[in-house]
C-alpha cells in the first residue's frame, strides 16, 4: 500500500499511520469532514495543508486531495509530533496521536496545566476540565488500537 511504502521510507511504523487513518477517516473511506476543512485519509485541515504544501513543494489541493501526497503530509506531521514528544513524555506515540487530533495548542495547554505533563493520563485530566472530550475519545481509541 501507499501508506506502508511511504511510512517505511520515512522510518515510521506503518501501523501507527494506518491507525491514524482508521481513526481520522475510517481508514480512508470518509475523506471529507463536513464539520471542518479536513480532507484526505489523514484529515489535514486547510491551514496545515497550505503550510505542508510549501514544505513538500506541492499544492494545498494535492496535500488534501491526492492520496500519496496526503500520506506524505501526514507522515511529515507525525514525525514532527514524535520528535516533539520524545524525551519529555512517557509515550511519544500516544502524545503524537493526541497532537494529530487535538492540535498542538490544545495539547500544549493541557500539558502546561497537568501535574505530570509527560504522562498522558495527567494530560487527559486537563483535557477533560477544558471540555475536550473529542480528543480524549480519540486518545482512548488510539490506545485501544495500539493494545495499551
Amino acid at each position: 500500500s501507499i501508506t506502508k511504502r511511504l511510512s517505511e521510507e520515512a522510518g515510521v511504523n506503518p501501523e501507527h499511520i494506518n491507525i491514524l487513518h482508521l481513526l481520522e477517516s475510517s481508514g480512508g473511506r470518509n475523506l471529507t469532514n463536513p464539520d471542518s476543512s479536513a480532507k484526505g485519509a489523514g484529515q489535514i485541515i486547510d491551514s496545515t495543508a497550505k503550510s505542508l504544501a510549501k514544505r513538500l513543494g506541492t499544492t494545498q489541493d494535492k496535500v488534501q486531495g491526492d492520496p500519496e501526497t496526503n500520506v506524505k503530509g501526514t507522515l511529515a506531521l507525525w514525525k514532527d509530533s514524535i520528535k516533539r514528544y520524545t524525551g519529555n513524555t512517557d509515550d511519544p506515540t500516544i502524545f503524537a496521536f493526541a497532537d494529530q487530533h487535538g492540535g498542538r495548542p490544545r495539547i500544549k495547554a493541557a500539558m502546561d496545566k497537568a501535574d505530570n505533563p509527560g504522562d498522558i493520563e495527567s494530560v487527559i485530566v486537563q483535557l477533560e476540565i477544558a471540555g475536550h472530550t473529542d480528543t480524549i475519545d480519540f486518545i482512548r481509541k488510539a490506545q485501544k488500537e495500539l493494545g495499551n
Side-chain angles (χ1 to χ4, degrees), residues 48-86:
T48 302
K50 185 176 181 180
S51 166
L52 281 170
K54 289 179 186 173
R55 188 170 160 185
L56 299 174
T58 188
T59 66
Q60 177 180 333
D61 287 342
K62 280 192 83 172
V63 169
Q64 291 179 300
D66 175 66
E68 186 162 334
T69 308
N70 187 265
V71 171
K72 287 179 181 177
T74 300
L75 285 164
L77 295 172
W78 183 262
K79 287 179 79 169
D80 290 348
S81 292
I82 291 293
K83 183 177 179 182
R84 180 178 300 121
Y85 298 113
T86 296

Side-chain angles (χ1 to χ4, degrees), residues 84-126:
R84 180 178 300 121
Y85 298 113
T86 296
N88 62 344
T89 66
D90 58 1
D91 186 351
T93 300
I94 202 63
F95 274 87
F97 276 104
D99 205 44
Q100 296 295 306
H101 180 268
R104 174 70 183 131
R106 179 181 291 185
I107 303 308
K108 182 179 182 323
M111 288 176 78
D112 288 347
K113 293 178 182 176
D115 291 336
N116 180 356
D119 174 65
I120 196 67
E121 295 305 322
S122 186
V123 172
I124 285 173
V125 168
Q126 294 305 316

Side-chain angles (χ1 to χ4, degrees), residues 4 16 27 34 36 89 140:
K4 185 176 189 313
H16 295 164
S36 76
T89 66
R140 295 293 186 218

Side-chain angles (χ1 to χ4, degrees), residues 5-36:
R5 177 177 54 82
L6 293 175
S7 294
E8 289 173 351
E9 288 173 8
V12 172
N13 183 337
E15 179 187 1
H16 295 164
I17 303 306
N18 284 330
I19 291 169
L20 183 64
H21 287 169
L22 174 70
L23 298 178
E24 286 284 12
S25 64
S26 300
R29 290 189 297 276
N30 298 316
L31 299 179
T32 302
N33 185 330
D35 299 322
S36 76

